[in-house]
Amino acid sequence: MQSSTVLPVLVEVLPRVLRIAVYIAIGVFAANLVVAFGLVERIAGLSRYLTSPANLPDEVGTAIVTTAASTTAGYGMLAEFRESGVLDDRATLVAVTINTFFGFVQHIFTFYWPVLIPILGREVGFMYVGARAAIALAITLTGVAAGAVLLSKQNVTPTAIAETDGAGDTDGEHGVNDDSVRSMAEDAARKTWKTVRRIVPRLAVVYVLVTLLLRTTDLESFTNLASPLTNLVGLPGAAVPVVVAFAFDTTTGAATIAPAIGETFTPKQAVATMLIGGIISFAVSTFKRSIPFQYGIWGPEFGSKVIAVNTSLKVVFIAIAVALLVA
């Protein structure tokens, strides 16, 4: 392959990989520190209402709290818990599912509130964000229910990190002293480096390969699904170009439909149209972002399972939301 093709891809991919690597490192380091200093009980208090019914250990609560601030860091924590044996594969899938709503929360403040709602207007903006919030919450509650039914003590080992690494050790009667704090921080840093060293090269390779493939593949074919879907739910013909735009760029899609709200589209039809655009965008975003990220975090085999569960649940609950809107 010619260097003229590869070099631009490397320039595009490397900053993204470095940014993700930093967040993963933060998440994994925080996970190690939280366990080492015995802070799980304090941090995971509120999330225990979700983790306890789902038969998940308190450690998962720290990942849930972290996900609300950074999805990448939260995933990094879960990867560390899976790697250390706290969670098996089934429990990890349940934990990833429960994380969905908390991953959505951060986007309210970074995208939906400052960008999307001003474009769509208050009524449609709040309807759309509310619909997305309800979908994310439904997926999280599905994860809780799945954990209650599918998980048992055989799927989790809450003491795995402590047993393996001596987490939470104190120095005699005086608790944690400066030397032990430094020792635990250094130990957490070593474990973090080990995890990052394993994940980041795989992440970089997959990102480069996918980006190269995108340069030679026409993803517009995915938008052929737009017309059948909009016809199926009885949306106006003008919904097709909106769905296509929304599938590739949310902001562009919102800007496309906004002038037509109240004339071509009712508020409910506008929200349904954008949600359908979200269904199609999963095919595109999964290929462009989810596969490189999830394969980098978990590896191809388990990463494929995470993608399958995430995408299936999102499509199912978006379809339910659309059906309710156009009923």
Side-chain angles (χ1 to χ4, degrees), residues 18-144:
L18 290 174
R19 184 173 63 252
I20 293 174
V22 169
Y23 282 116
I24 291 173
I26 292 171
V28 173
F29 185 69
N32 285 317
L33 282 183
V34 162
V35 175
F37 286 103
L39 299 177
V40 171
E41 289 291 328
R42 300 178 185 180
I43 295 178
L46 292 176
S47 60
R48 192 174 289 117
Y49 291 106
L50 298 174
T51 56
S52 181
N55 295 317
L56 290 170
D58 290 343
E59 285 84 350
V60 175
T62 63
I64 289 175
V65 172
T66 301
T67 300
S70 168
T71 304
T72 306
Y75 267 76
M77 281 189 165
L78 290 179
E80 178 69 8
F81 294 148
R82 177 173 176 262
E83 180 70 19
S84 65
V86 174
L87 305 175
D88 69 1
D89 284 359
R90 181 181 293 182
T92 304
L93 284 173
V94 169
V96 168
T97 303
I98 293 174
N99 262 4
T100 301
F101 179 76
F102 298 89
F104 168 82
V105 167
Q106 64 168 301
H107 296 299
I108 294 177
F109 304 102
T110 60
F111 177 68
Y112 290 120
W113 184 272
V115 178
L116 208 64
I117 291 177
I119 292 174
L120 294 172
R122 182 174 299 178
E123 180 183 6
V124 175
F126 278 113
M127 283 179 62
Y128 177 73
V129 175
R132 294 303 300 257
I135 291 165
L137 181 60
I139 294 172
T140 287
L141 295 178
T142 298
V144 174

Side-chain angles (χ1 to χ4, degrees), residues 158-303:
T159 58
I161 295 179
E163 290 174 350
T164 302
D165 304 321
D169 288 346
T170 60
D171 187 16
E173 298 178 353
H174 302 290
V176 180
N177 60 27
D178 291 342
D179 290 338
S180 61
V181 169
R182 186 182 305 108
S183 176
M184 284 187 282
E186 291 174 352
D187 192 45
R190 283 194 296 271
K191 296 186 185 76
T192 299
W193 170 244
K194 181 180 177 181
T195 302
V196 171
R197 187 174 59 186
R198 185 187 73 252
I199 290 175
V200 172
R202 183 170 58 200
L203 185 73
V205 169
V206 178
Y207 258 119
V208 169
L209 292 177
V210 168
T211 305
L212 284 171
L213 190 57
L214 287 172
R215 295 289 178 91
T216 58
T217 303
D218 181 16
L219 294 180
E220 293 288 341
S221 58
F222 286 116
T223 62
N224 292 334
L225 296 171
S227 183
L229 283 175
T230 56
N231 290 336
L232 180 65
V233 298
L235 292 173
V240 174
V242 174
V243 169
V244 172
F246 209 88
F248 287 94
D249 182 77
T250 303
T251 305
T252 302
T256 302
I257 198 171
I261 296 173
E263 298 179 3
T264 306
F265 298 94
T266 66
K268 287 186 177 181
Q269 287 177 331
V271 174
T273 299
M274 290 186 287
L275 290 177
I276 291 176
I279 291 178
I280 297 178
S281 73
F282 288 142
V284 179
S285 63
T286 295
F287 192 70
K288 293 174 66 176
R289 290 183 290 274
S290 293
I291 289 178
F293 176 73
Q294 301 293 1
Y295 280 20
I297 293 286
W298 313 106
E301 182 178 356
F302 189 71

